């Protein structure tokens, strides 16, 4: 019995070493990912988007390949931070790829698909606005704003089906804003400042729901300015960052 106990004690370092260089390494990576995500979230709260993007980019390669959903959620949060960091084109392209990837899965995560679709629609709105201001012809920006319209319409329909009145209202406002953007003359558009994105809780598409509520008139016309708010569920919600 005594010999057996001694043998067991002698094997303890072997088991510890095996764990450390096997499953232990995976756990260390997960701990590091968690630390970087928390640091990125903290940077986001300080509106230090450059640092947040850097930390998300450092965390992504550390996620084990088998943890696909965690990596997808991390990409979404990274893309949202990129949009707020002035990296709209890159964020838009990755959101497109991410949504396609999610929809191709046998059993897509409905909530993640919704958040990604909402973030992409938000990106499409801003890409369209930017392209129009840069003088790109209708053939260049119309397909993008049409995609945003379809995405917001689908989000509104799903919100109605789920019975979420607040979300339905938000998505309807998003849809109306997209339609207005597509129909505005370039001259009128040039006289309107691009709506600023924010991180207020409840501003689900990264556009402040509290701004742009006041009714205003464009110079020289009796028409109202389009609403600045289009937010609804995903891009970038501070309460879900890194989730």
């Amino acid at each position: 019995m005594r010999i057996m106990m001694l043998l067991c004690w002698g094997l303890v370092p072997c088991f510890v070493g095996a764990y450390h260089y096997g499953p232990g390494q995976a756990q260390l990576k997960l701990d590091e990912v968690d630390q970087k995500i928390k640091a990125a979230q903290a940077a986001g709260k300080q509106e230090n988007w450059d640092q947040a993007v850097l930390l998300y980019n450092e965390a992504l390669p550390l996620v084990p390949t088998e943890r696909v959903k965690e990596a997808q959620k991390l990409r979404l949060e990274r893309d949202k931070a990129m949009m707020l960091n002035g990296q709209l084109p890159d964020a838009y392209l990755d959101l497109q790829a991410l949504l396609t990837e999610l929809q191709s899965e046998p059993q897509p995560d409905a909530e993640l698909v919704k958040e990604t679709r909402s973030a992409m629609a938000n990106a499409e709105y801003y890409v369209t606005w930017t392209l129009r201001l840069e003088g790109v012809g209708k053939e260049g920006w119309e397909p993008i704003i049409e995609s945003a319209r379809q995405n917001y319409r689908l989000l509104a329909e799903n919100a109605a089906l789920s019975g979420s009145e607040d979300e339905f209202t938000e998505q309807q406002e998003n849809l109306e804003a997209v339609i207005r953007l597509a129909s505005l003359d370039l001259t009128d558009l040039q006289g309107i400042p691009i709506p600023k994105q924010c991180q207020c809780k409840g501003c689900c598409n990264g556009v402040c729901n509290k701004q742009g509520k006041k009714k205003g008139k464009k110079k020289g016309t009796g028409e109202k300015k389009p609403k600045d708010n289009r937010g609804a569920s995903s891009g970038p919600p501070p309460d879900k960052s890194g989730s």
Side-chain angles (χ1 to χ4, degrees):
M1 185 69 179
R2 202 167 163 190
I3 294 174
M4 287 295 298
M5 289 180 66
L6 289 171
L7 285 173
C8 288
W9 276 111
L11 289 173
V12 167
C14 296
F15 289 127
V16 171
Y19 177 81
H20 177 74
Y21 292 105
Q25 288 298 307
Q27 186 59 50
L28 286 173
K29 281 189 176 182
L30 289 176
D31 290 342
E32 188 175 356
V33 169
D34 186 58
Q35 290 173 4
K36 289 185 180 296
I37 289 175
K38 289 178 179 177
Q41 291 172 338
K45 289 179 181 179
Q46 298 297 320
E47 298 188 3
N48 187 350
W49 302 116
D50 188 60
Q51 180 68 9
V53 171
L54 176 64
L55 287 163
Y56 282 131
N57 278 330
E58 289 179 353
L60 269 168
L62 300 176
V63 179
T65 54
E66 67 274 11
R67 292 179 174 260
V68 177
K69 184 178 291 187
E70 285 84 347
Q72 290 170 335
K73 289 181 178 180
L74 190 51
R75 279 175 64 189
L76 175 58
E77 297 307 320
R78 188 272 312 274
D79 291 345
K80 292 174 185 177
M82 288 173 66
M83 289 173 64
L84 288 161
N85 194 43
Q87 298 171 266
L88 177 61
D90 290 338
Y92 169 55
L93 291 175
D94 193 61
L95 285 166
Q96 279 186 310
L98 178 57
L99 184 60
T100 300
E101 180 182 315
L102 290 168
Q103 291 177 317
S104 66
E105 293 178 349
Q107 295 181 320
D109 183 318
E111 185 64 24
L112 186 55
V113 169
K114 183 182 77 170
E115 289 186 19
T116 303
R117 185 185 302 280
S118 187
M120 192 179 80
N122 182 49
E124 289 170 331
Y125 180 91
Y126 281 99
V127 167
T128 300
W129 196 307
T130 302
L131 290 177
R132 294 200 63 189
L133 289 179
E134 290 177 350
V136 175
K138 191 173 184 179
E139 68 282 356
W141 57 261
E142 189 173 46
I144 300 174
I145 200 66
E146 174 60 20
S147 177
R149 186 190 68 79
Q150 293 178 8
N151 281 319
Y152 279 132
R153 178 180 57 79
L154 181 58
L155 288 165
E157 289 174 354
N158 289 340
L161 290 173
S162 68
S164 177
E165 294 183 7
D166 290 343
E167 186 178 350
F168 174 75
T169 300
E170 296 280 359
Q171 299 292 12
Q172 280 292 102
E173 289 179 352
N174 293 342
L175 182 57
E176 291 167 7
V178 163
I179 293 171
R180 283 195 296 272
L181 176 58
S183 62
L184 272 174
D185 290 334
L186 180 58
T187 302
D188 292 331
L189 186 66
Q190 290 171 334
I192 305 171
I194 297 179
K196 183 181 178 182
Q197 297 187 71
C198 82
Q199 279 284 289
C200 297
K201 188 167 184 176
C203 300
C204 304
N205 277 314
V207 182
C208 186
N209 293 329
K210 298 178 182 179
Q211 64 183 8
K213 293 288 187 181
K214 294 182 181 179
K215 297 180 179 179
K217 296 182 179 179
K218 299 176 191 174
K219 293 181 180 179
T221 71
E223 297 177 3
K224 298 174 184 176
K225 287 185 179 180
K227 295 178 182 178
D228 286 353
N229 57 299
R230 285 161 311 288
S233 144
S234 133
D239 53 327
K240 294 183 181 180
S241 295
S243 58

